[in-house]
Amino acid sequence: MSPYRTLVCFSLVAFVREMPINLVWALLVLVVDFSGCFTEGVNNTSVSTRPDVVNIASILTFDSIIGKVAKIALDAAIEDVNSDPTILNGTELKITLHDSNYSGFLSMMEALQVMEKETVAVIGPQSSVLAHVISHVANELQVPLLSFTATDPTLSSLQYPFFVRTTHSDLYQMAAIADIVTYYEWRQVTAIYIDDDHGRNGIISLADQLAVRGCKISHKAPIRPWATKTDISDVLVQVALMESRVLVVHTYAGSGLDILDVAKNLGMLESGYVWIATNWLSTVIDISSPLPAKTIGVMQGFLTLKSYTKDSKLTRKFASEWRNLTDFGLSTSCLYAYDTIWLLARALDAFFDQGGNISFSRDLKLKGSKGESLNLDSLSIFNGGKLLLQDILKVKMKGLTGVIEFTSDKDLVFPAFEVLNVIGTGVRRIGYWSNYSGLSTIRPDTVYMKPPSQSSNSELLHSVIWPGQTIQKPRGWVFPENGMQLKIGVPNRVSYQEFVGQVKHTDVFKGYCIDVFTSAVNSLPYAVPYKFQSFGDGLQNPSNTELVSSINAGVYDAAVGDIAITTNRTRLADFSQPFIESGLVVVAPVRRSSSSTWAFLRPFSPLMWCVSGLFFIAVGAVVWTLEHRINDEFRGPPRKQIVTVLWFSFSTLFSSHRENTLSTLGRIVVILWLFVVLIINSSYTASLTSILTVQKLSSPIKGIDSLMASKDPIGYQENSFVRNYLIGELGIHEARLIPLSLPEDYEKALKDGPDKGGVAAVVDERAYLELFLSTRCEFSIVGQEFTKNGWGFAFPKDSPLAADISTAILKLSENGDLQRIHDKWLMRSACSSQGTTFEVDQLELTSFQGLFMICGLACVFALIIYLALTIRQFTKHHETVRESSGRSVRSGTLQTFFSFVDEKEETVKARSKRKYTEGRSSREKEDDASIDNYKSSRRDLSLNTSV
């Protein structure tokens, strides 16, 4: 309001206070002219807090299948809301329907016209494309835009704050389809969709969901909007040439039916195809039921999704009323449209309870714009739009579709779908999907109330009747029918061409690997056109790692040959089932072990001989110590005792010792020692027998460990992965590695040895070396195989052909064909030495250290016990001597103790007894003399007393 009008208003108010009451009414007319003092009529229109009427609008496509039934559902909902006294407190909800006529431009114009009529919310539009356009208008004028059919996931972004989706996003629908694809173990799908925001963004979501599950969209087939059947046919012809037979159709109802008609004419609804339609197909079936026989005929075997709605008394009541309203079937779109009106009504009720007003303000951005012809200046901002939007998102209610509540991302809670199979004249429910439980045969609301159990995969969905009236799950792919042959890279080897090789001056390849591949391909249930292409210059063996990399780069469609399956290669390509086992081994020159003068010493290592000899002497000494004092056979002159010890200890080797042991400790030691001797004797006998009777091969290289410990050069096959493995995994210096190409190079390098510029050993895969050794008996595999791998055929990542070839290889193995191919190419006359064994290592001390430890501890404990008993006896002996002699005897000297130990125990005991007896007799005599003296003194005392 201008300053002048403000001044006049305040002057009038002051004047009226001073005038008589009868003059006030005379000035009312004048005051009315200045009504702007109290309300701003030009820029602001206000209504009471609870208006009589609230205007909302809906933008639909009347001529569409959904549009036809949505109008009926919206009108029914408006009528029910206005007739319910518990909602809006008497305020009437008025809806204006507008037809977009499939046009984005008309939708925008309709939206602008709606906004001119003080509309507080807009229901619709139907399509995601139109929603993107109208959302910009809604954002600018702050009018909530509620859609029950626009399912594009990107509409939930922060770019469209006033857009509210009252159905479930395609994000969840695509997650359900991805779970179905994973459940049936398909890896690739072809996506057929309308090339607009709805189609593109939905398929992007599908690709994301598939990627999470290790699958992918192998081919996208976009169809332009308003495409003719000829346009659709051109697209589907290309789809038919692709290898994937799992087709996901994401489109609209009208376009979807056209796609099915064209597919029928192209023969794409036969056995082998998998058709998965998004919820547009279930909508068509529900609304148009019963469908014409021709229409339902092209849907046979299809899988489709349908939004899950919980069966309730409210839903059944509405379904009964629906049959009285129209001949159209009741679809979930109708239920969501009905719930959208009630959702908005409850939000408006909360809006008014919070003191919200229906007021509008001019948009200053549009004031003075150049769009006067469009009357943009008449558009107003809904002042309560933000508050109403918040109230909409806070609504919690039970509707026809179930619980209506929004998450923090503005999505409805608990998205769930039914998985339907089109059969006969209708559909059959084969399961459910929800973001809570995934695929299941249990109703989602039941699972939601109770945590899902860990059911097996076979229970996730019921059986399906697929296109072609078959219950067998389709493979999901076929070899592409585009007339192109597979380009298969084959290594052009210069050595070991028994495995794979190219016939000179031709394009023909032969060998074990080639025969296995051709046999596997011939056993497939479909034709696979292919052509072998040479990889390598024919002058040296090519690198199989580079060949596999060429597949990853798209140069080849597959690789066939002697390709070892290694960790690095599996990152570049997928491999088939191994058709031959292989692993790295060491080959070294060997010589035959011949008998010699000192052959009897070979069973034991030098350390074993030394330790055994020491134990023979030690045990003899221990037994002599334990028996010396009580056994006459272990007594005598020192020379005799030494001979006795040596004789006793070594004679136990043959159990021919003549000396008997008398002490308990000695017998225990001898028993344990005889057990040790028995083990040593048996081991020696067995080893010596083997050495003298079995032909042996010996080599200074015992395996990969001894090869790593040495400094000698090592040979390997040129351009193989062995070099990187030896350097990277085993830490062998690259200066020690010498590349070799031909088997003749192997032979020469091994014969020359390290001293003449050759190698000490060759490290290569067992398959090659077994062929190499079949005619070269002077070499042999030494040690154990230190890696485990196999050879397989390489394919691009996620290629379904890899799995089928693997199955074919297993069949070849089971029926014996794989072995026959092996015998054809790799069977050679073996050397006579191949049946012999390698020289067994000498028996080391470590094999017997447990026995020696037990025997040694027994000897130590026996000596400790013996020493304790001897010291105790020695102490008692000295005490006895002291007591018997009646004088102090100095004891404890080492010389005295050794003298005591050297004496025979019987002699010591006899001497002690004798000394004890003599001492006792002398004490008795002294006692008698003392008694006599006492008696004499008593007699003399008595005589003196009597006198």
Side-chain angles (χ1 to χ4, degrees), residues 437-456:
S437 62
L439 293 174
S440 175
T441 55
I442 305 173
R443 293 199 319 271
D445 53 308
T446 304
V447 177
Y448 187 73
M449 299 299 296
K450 182 180 180 181
S453 59
Q454 298 296 325
S455 59
S456 63

Side-chain angles (χ1 to χ4, degrees), residues 121-147:
V122 177
I123 309 296
Q126 284 179 223
S127 72
S128 299
V129 177
L130 304 183
H132 277 280
V133 175
I134 299 177
S135 290
H136 291 286
V137 180
N139 290 345
E140 181 66 26
L141 303 181
Q142 299 183 11
V143 175
L145 180 65
L146 293 79
S147 178

